[in-house]
Amino acid sequence: MKGINHLVLAGHDLEAMRSQYAGLGFTVTPRGQHPFGTGNSLIQLNGSYLELLAVTAPQDIPEHRAGHFCFAAFNRDYLARHEGFSMLVLDTPDARADGKAWRAAGLQTYEPFDFSRTARLADGQEITVSFSLAFVSHPAAPRLGLFACQHHTPGYFAQPRYMQHGNGATAVADVWIVGDTAPDLAGFMQTITGAKATGEDPAISDDPSVTTLQTRIGAIVLARPPAFESAFGLAAPHPQDGPHLAALTLACEGLGHEALGHEGLGQLADLPKVGNRHVLAPEKNFGTAIGFVTTKR
């Protein structure tokens, strides 16, 4: 079974995103630059991370071509429509094996993609980090970005200094794929994740329009719009995209009454609460909705 490796959150202005997330109490890594025209900063969590991403060198972006999926072109085109939660990335020990297995299962796959970039450790040392990616897509969800990422330098993504957040964030609890036909993707998502689909989200037990896949790290929730609205208290941000990544939920230690006097935690605790989530609306966060839930220290 796979887990959630990281989530791509795309915006037009990387520095503005870095400032926003730092202001929310996250520890944000230094900027990185991809060789294909996008730049990023990371928010490292237990077993996964958030990738703040922007197009920083549009002239360096290659185009999609037959049998090849271009990460940078996908995010450029995504940003031409709007900012937001653009891609869900799964972990893998072998990206090439995933591509072969998905192809054998009849899924739409692409040639594997390998790349490296420079990165700076918390102590200031510069290193090279390398990746192998396996992309997959579904014809009924063309705006849903999905791939598996094999880290060849995994230690960079679990640095203790960068995993300490003032707001208590520790892990990705779930991601929400929303659309009228989102639950119809259950078989497809089960094939690519290896996770068993359940008919309902336990948090919305009376709503049969939700399917949940509990992965090794975090849950993937497939929901129709009314179920999403019940869980987050707002409409899915980009309904014109069809089944799309609409929101994520992060687990935070100590996010409750005791947090009110704690910088970072207090700011999240002041967000509107819907059920067990404190909700940051997409219009206040570069098109990405985030729910924050409490875990015990």
Side-chain angles (χ1 to χ4, degrees):
M1 181 192 299
K2 296 190 179 304
I4 294 172
N5 181 269
H6 69 277
L7 311 176
V8 181
L9 312 181
H12 297 302
D13 185 334
L14 183 55
E15 280 308 309
M17 295 178 75
R18 285 168 46 82
S19 178
Q20 159 88 346
Y21 280 85
L24 289 168
F26 291 102
T27 301
V28 183
T29 69
R31 289 178 63 130
Q33 180 63 37
H34 296 136
F36 37 73
T38 50
N40 70 2
S41 283
L42 310 181
I43 295 170
Q44 297 184 3
L45 303 163
N46 294 336
S48 63
Y49 58 93
L50 310 181
E51 179 178 9
L52 311 181
L53 184 102
V55 172
T56 51
Q59 71 278 6
D60 294 338
I61 298 178
E63 296 299 330
H64 296 294
R65 54 194 176 94
H68 296 262
F69 187 101
C70 179
F71 169 91
F74 179 90
N75 281 285
R76 176 202 60 198
D77 296 346
Y78 182 96
L79 285 167
R81 299 190 306 276
H82 49 70
E83 298 177 297
F85 179 7
S86 63
M87 305 189 86
L88 165 61
V89 189
L90 304 169
D91 59 19
T92 181
D94 191 335
R96 282 171 166 73
D98 283 342
K100 291 177 181 177
W102 294 340
R103 193 175 309 115
L107 304 185
Q108 176 62 60
T109 60
Y110 307 85
E111 290 298 314
F113 180 69
D114 305 299
F115 77 98
S116 300
R117 69 170 178 88
T118 58
R120 193 173 298 278
L121 297 173
D123 63 6
Q125 179 185 354
E126 193 170 88
I127 64 169
T128 298
V129 291
S130 301
F131 313 81
S132 295
L133 312 181
F135 293 96
V136 64
S137 62
H138 194 291
R143 309 302 191 193
L144 177 61
L146 291 168
F147 65 96
C149 179
Q150 179 182 356
H151 288 293
H152 299 293
T153 44
Y156 172 76
F157 300 91
Q159 298 180 69
R161 177 176 167 183
Y162 290 135
M163 295 172 69
Q164 302 300 314
H165 304 286
N167 60 20
T170 59
V172 173
D174 60 42
V175 301
W176 286 65
I177 298 172
V178 180
D180 290 332
T181 60
D184 299 340
L185 299 174
F188 167 70
M189 295 301 298
Q190 187 167 333
T191 298
I192 66 172
T193 63
K196 183 179 179 181
T198 59
E200 296 181 342
D201 176 27
I204 318 172
S205 60
D206 61 346
D207 190 340
S209 65
V210 177
T211 298
T212 301
L213 297 94
Q214 182 61 56
T215 78
R216 189 175 58 80
I217 299 174
I220 299 171
V221 184
L222 308 173
R224 294 191 174 93
F228 175 81
E229 292 175 20
S230 295
F232 285 83
L234 47 82
H238 311 299
Q240 69 275 18
D241 283 359
H244 66 287
L245 292 158
L248 61 126
T249 304
L250 296 178
C252 297
E253 290 184 341
L255 181 59
H257 295 298
E258 70 278 12
L260 295 179
H262 192 292
E263 185 178 357
L265 280 170
Q267 184 172 353
L268 299 188
D270 287 340
L271 291 170
K273 192 172 185 183
V274 182
N276 67 337
R277 290 181 176 86
H278 294 269
V279 178
L280 178 61
E283 62 269 18
K284 297 181 179 180
N285 191 47
F286 304 95
T288 295
I290 303 180
F292 299 90
V293 295
T294 304
T295 59
K296 293 183 180 180
R297 290 187 180 276

